[in-house]
Amino acid sequence: MVTVHDVARVAGVSISTVSRALATPEKVADATRDRVQAAARELGYRPNRAAAVLRAGRSGAYGLVVPDLANPYFAAVAKGAQERARERGAGLFIVDTDEDPDLEAEAIGALAPQTDGVVLCSPRAPARALDALGGRPVVLINHDVDGVPAVEADHRGGMRRALEHLRALGHHRIAYVGGPEASWSDRRRRAGLADASARYDDVEIVALGAFRPQVEGGQAAADLVVASGATAVITFNDLVAVGLVDRLRARGLDVPDDLSVVGCDDSYVASLVTPPLTTLHVDLRRLGRLAVDRLVATVPGRGAGTGAGVAPDVPVLDVELVVRASTAPPAADRPEGAL
Amino acid sequence: MVTVHDVARVAGVSISTVSRALATPEKVADATRDRVQAAARELGYRPNRAAAVLRAGRSGAYGLVVPDLANPYFAAVAKGAQERARERGAGLFIVDTDEDPDLEAEAIGALAPQTDGVVLCSPRAPARALDALGGRPVVLINHDVDGVPAVEADHRGGMRRALEHLRALGHHRIAYVGGPEASWSDRRRRAGLADASARYDDVEIVALGAFRPQVEGGQAAADLVVASGATAVITFNDLVAVGLVDRLRARGLDVPDDLSVVGCDDSYVASLVTPPLTTLHVDLRRLGRLAVDRLVATVPGRGAGTGAGVAPDVPVLDVELVVRASTAPPAADRPEGAL
DNA sequence: GTGAAAGCGCTAACAC
DNA sequence: GTGTTAGCGCTTTCAC
């Protein structure tokens, strides 16, 4: 293993100069810096992270906690976060908690001490999670706690867009198939929907809920939706929409002819299924990237530059409506044989 | 921060006894062990990983390199690997290389020195990857290099099953839509297909190829498949199958009426799309878990127990055919109106 | 601008 | 069975 000593010997300087030339090049004479960097490159020197961590107290690695990596939503966020961490030369531990609050707390307890900070994506037990962190730097994705830095998507705006789209098509009774009880996103969506519907006295919302955020959740919800008399439905996420469509089909109902369906997230399954889903698009990769940026800015040691502390505002990513084939005017509005 | 010194003071022993009581309890008197463990618990002691790493040269963390986390195949493998690493009390760095061989080599170079070993899943530039590892412990998933430990799926057997299924339905001209040039899985599948077809003189394989392992790859392949005169097609993975079906539909062709389609991997999209895909199932999570187990067995320090070294054989996971709605007898074989 | 030296917290010889 | 001690490779004062 090549150490600072080897580099120092080759470059003809002391080990402290090597350390400086590599970590803070501006504090070293140009000629020295070049010599050291050349030697390091030549020898294939790679700083030993463990030693640096031990000494400096910073690990250069972050954590990301997600409920389920197999969910395309979290996979996309993880991908973005990982990408950004790599660009910044940091490592990223990704932990999948399997939607289990106990595992979540445990994982955070294990992760926190060996990272410089953690991104918590859609925590299932936020209070315990923050507790397990013991005051270490953290950024929340899709959650909201007093003074904790966060990054979120504009769920309310998204819901308004979905509702206005359906209303424009002529729907007046719209069901919402909600996600997990503990989901903050779900609460925001319900609130957004309530707000938006309050602006139009010709639209009524039927909120259903607490369904699993997977295909099965949608299957379970379908019959309730049909019974509700709604002509259109908005679902917690795309997977739920897929399950819903599946069950409707099995009952001989057509989407969008008998019922219009709007998904959420625009994960790539939305465009894969039949019919392709009208859905709310969020740039999930960007969400992950932003969270890492924000986390890095929060961590004391390397405060990205300005050292101005962390801006207290929460970046909110736009949520856009993507119209595909799963929404159409309600059957009653259509002239025989049209669209 | 609570250190061994604090625990030692409270327990009334020396720091080395603390270290032993925690790491190798059997080498310490029962009473002492209890006292130390009680003190540690009471103080909320958490060993500083960085220090342990620095001293012991083992990091307790592994790496997993995948081409694309957003691909459900790799997401499932990652999930399994992560799960297993956690069960073993180890960390797992997951790195996504975006299908880029340069990034792959770079990521491995950065990962290797700070982990105890790396799992390489479907490496895109295996030679460079192994080179970048510099002889560190490694386990390959879906690849094959002389003496390097690996875990793989029985692609050949899978291909045989797919072919026999299609042949039993009455197909005699079968196309294969291949994946990336550099893909080892692709080569194995081609070989398996060639072997299997050699056993039946009434089956002919039309191998097409080098398509991207995503939906677009399938879309790009569709017209070639149609032109090939095949009545059935096997694709590199499920996403390719989805793209293929999509493009066939756009051309007014029906699956399975005009063409039967078999996917590969049984990622969850296979059951989501219309028609649900007949596909080859592999237990991807298990693949990830097995790879971690194997890696742990390879690493010298903690050699899971027996110390017998690593078994040289490569565990091969079964590949099973899952029949769904995308395969049927060829149109010519069907009586008017049947099935 | 550069070097000498002191540890960060832990483990593993080595004595006892 | 337990304590003493010497570092692991690095960063960071503190002198010069």
Side-chain angles (χ1 to χ4, degrees):
Chain A
M1 169 169 260
V2 186
T3 74
V4 275
H5 291 98
D6 302 315
V7 179
R9 195 164 8 81
V10 171
V13 297
S14 74
I15 59 161
S16 27
T17 301
V18 172
S19 178
R20 273 189 292 253
L22 267 25
T24 48
E26 71 278 8
K27 293 189 175 170
V28 154
D30 289 12
T32 318
R33 171 175 37 70
D34 292 348
R35 211 142 30 91
V36 171
Q37 293 184 343
R41 208 172 320 111
E42 183 194 335
L43 295 172
Y45 169 73
R46 292 228 171 232
N48 180 324
R49 213 138 190 171
V53 174
L54 181 56
R55 183 62 241 248
R58 255 177 288 110
S59 77
Y62 301 99
L64 172 70
V65 180
V66 294
D68 179 15
L69 256 188
N71 182 325
Y73 184 96
F74 300 118
V77 172
K79 202 170 155 110
Q82 197 272 326
E83 184 180 86
R84 191 75 184 113
R86 192 185 49 222
E87 286 171 10
R88 288 182 166 278
L92 186 73
F93 281 107
I94 299 173
V95 178
D96 175 326
T97 65
D98 248 330
E99 304 268 3
D100 177 345
D102 295 329
L103 250 177
E104 182 175 278
E106 190 193 313
I108 291 169
L111 205 56
Q114 48 179 323
T115 55
D116 294 345
V118 174
V119 175
L120 253 49
C121 188
S122 304
R124 295 322 191 197
R128 287 173 60 195
L130 290 174
D131 198 54
L133 269 165
R136 274 156 203 282
V138 61
V139 168
L140 296 170
I141 296 182
N142 286 338
H143 212 277
D144 208 9
V145 177
D146 47 346
V148 181
V151 176
E152 55 179 74
D154 181 15
H155 290 124
R156 303 173 79 99
M159 282 295 129
R160 207 191 62 235
R161 281 177 203 115
L163 183 138
E164 288 175 346
H165 166 67
L166 291 172
R167 177 168 176 272
L169 286 171
H171 296 278
H172 299 294
R173 193 171 167 81
I174 300 172
Y176 171 69
V177 175
E181 204 90 54
S183 165
W184 176 86
S185 304
D186 187 59
R187 284 202 298 282
R188 295 287 274 214
R189 286 185 183 141
R190 285 175 196 269
L193 223 36
D195 282 7
S197 67
R199 305 167 69 171
Y200 303 106
D201 54 12
D202 57 348
V203 174
E204 206 179 345
I205 298 295
V206 186
L208 305 172
F211 291 98
R212 296 189 53 202
Q214 274 105 26
V215 174
E216 308 87 68
Q219 289 165 331
D223 302 318
L224 297 190
V225 171
V226 172
S228 77
T231 59
V233 54
I234 301 173
T235 64
F236 177 71
N237 69 22
D238 293 329
L239 292 178
V240 171
V242 169
L244 185 82
V245 170
D246 181 62
R247 174 69 185 155
L248 291 175
R249 282 247 183 90
R251 290 189 52 179
L253 294 169
D254 184 80
V255 174
D257 285 354
D258 298 308
L259 199 76
S260 285
V261 176
V262 178
C264 272
D265 303 342
D266 196 21
S267 53
Y268 66 85
V269 301
S271 53
L272 251 48
V273 294
T274 311
L277 297 175
T278 293
T279 184
L280 291 165
H281 175 86
V282 186
D283 189 341
L284 299 172
R285 244 161 112 157
R286 183 139 172 264
L287 204 60
R289 297 178 60 93
L290 260 174
V292 169
D293 281 338
R294 210 147 158 71
L295 185 60
V296 172
T298 309
V299 173
R302 292 267 192 197
T306 60
V310 184
D313 55 291
V314 174
V316 176
L317 261 64
D318 275 347
V319 173
E320 285 153 21
L321 183 76
V322 178
V323 178
R324 298 206 181 90
S326 66
T327 47
D333 283 21
R334 281 197 301 271
E336 200 69 22
L339 221 189
Chain B
M1 168 171 257
V2 185
T3 75
V4 274
H5 291 97
D6 301 315
V7 179
R9 196 166 6 84
V10 171
V13 296
S14 76
I15 59 164
S16 33
T17 300
V18 173
S19 178
R20 273 190 292 255
L22 266 26
T24 49
E26 71 279 9
K27 294 188 175 173
V28 153
D30 289 11
T32 319
R33 171 173 40 67
D34 293 349
R35 210 143 30 90
V36 171
Q37 294 183 343
R41 208 172 318 108
E42 183 195 337
L43 296 172
Y45 170 73
R46 289 219 170 242
N48 181 326
R49 213 135 189 177
V53 174
L54 181 57
R55 182 63 241 244
R58 254 178 289 107
S59 77
Y62 300 97
L64 171 70
V65 180
V66 294
D68 178 15
L69 256 188
N71 183 324
Y73 183 95
F74 300 118
V77 172
K79 204 170 154 108
Q82 197 272 326
E83 184 179 85
R84 191 74 183 114
R86 191 186 50 221
E87 285 170 11
R88 287 181 167 280
L92 186 73
F93 281 107
I94 300 174
V95 178
D96 175 325
T97 66
D98 248 331
E99 304 268 3
D100 178 344
D102 295 329
L103 250 176
E104 183 175 277
E106 191 193 313
I108 291 169
L111 205 56
Q114 48 179 322
T115 55
D116 295 344
V118 173
V119 175
L120 253 48
C121 186
S122 304
R124 296 322 191 197
R128 288 173 59 194
L130 290 174
D131 198 55
L133 269 165
R136 273 155 204 281
V138 62
V139 168
L140 295 170
I141 296 183
N142 287 338
H143 211 277
D144 208 9
V145 177
D146 48 346
V148 181
V151 176
E152 54 180 74
D154 181 15
H155 291 124
R156 304 173 78 101
M159 283 295 128
R160 209 192 59 236
R161 280 177 203 115
L163 182 137
E164 288 174 347
H165 166 66
L166 292 172
R167 178 169 175 271
L169 286 171
H171 295 279
H172 300 293
R173 194 171 167 79
I174 300 172
Y176 172 69
V177 174
E181 203 90 54
S183 164
W184 175 86
S185 305
D186 187 59
R187 285 202 297 281
R188 296 286 274 211
R189 285 184 184 142
R190 285 175 196 269
L193 224 35
D195 281 7
S197 66
R199 307 168 67 170
Y200 304 106
D201 54 12
D202 58 348
V203 174
E204 205 178 345
I205 298 294
V206 185
L208 304 172
F211 291 98
R212 298 188 53 203
Q214 274 105 26
V215 173
E216 307 89 65
Q219 289 164 331
D223 302 319
L224 298 188
V225 171
V226 172
S228 77
T231 59
V233 53
I234 302 173
T235 64
F236 176 71
N237 68 20
D238 293 329
L239 293 178
V240 171
V242 169
L244 186 82
V245 170
D246 181 63
R247 173 69 185 156
L248 291 174
R249 283 246 183 91
R251 289 190 52 180
L253 294 168
D254 185 80
V255 174
D257 285 354
D258 298 309
L259 199 75
S260 285
V261 175
V262 178
C264 273
D265 303 342
D266 196 22
S267 54
Y268 66 85
V269 300
S271 53
L272 252 47
V273 293
T274 312
L277 297 175
T278 294
T279 185
L280 292 166
H281 175 87
V282 185
D283 188 341
L284 298 171
R285 244 161 111 155
R286 186 146 167 259
L287 204 60
R289 297 178 59 94
L290 260 175
V292 168
D293 281 339
R294 207 145 163 73
L295 184 60
V296 171
T298 309
V299 173
R302 291 267 192 201
T306 61
V310 185
D313 55 290
V314 174
V316 176
L317 262 65
D318 276 347
V319 173
E320 287 154 19
L321 184 76
V322 178
V323 177
R324 298 205 182 91
S326 67
T327 48
D333 282 23
R334 282 197 302 269
E336 200 70 20
L339 223 191

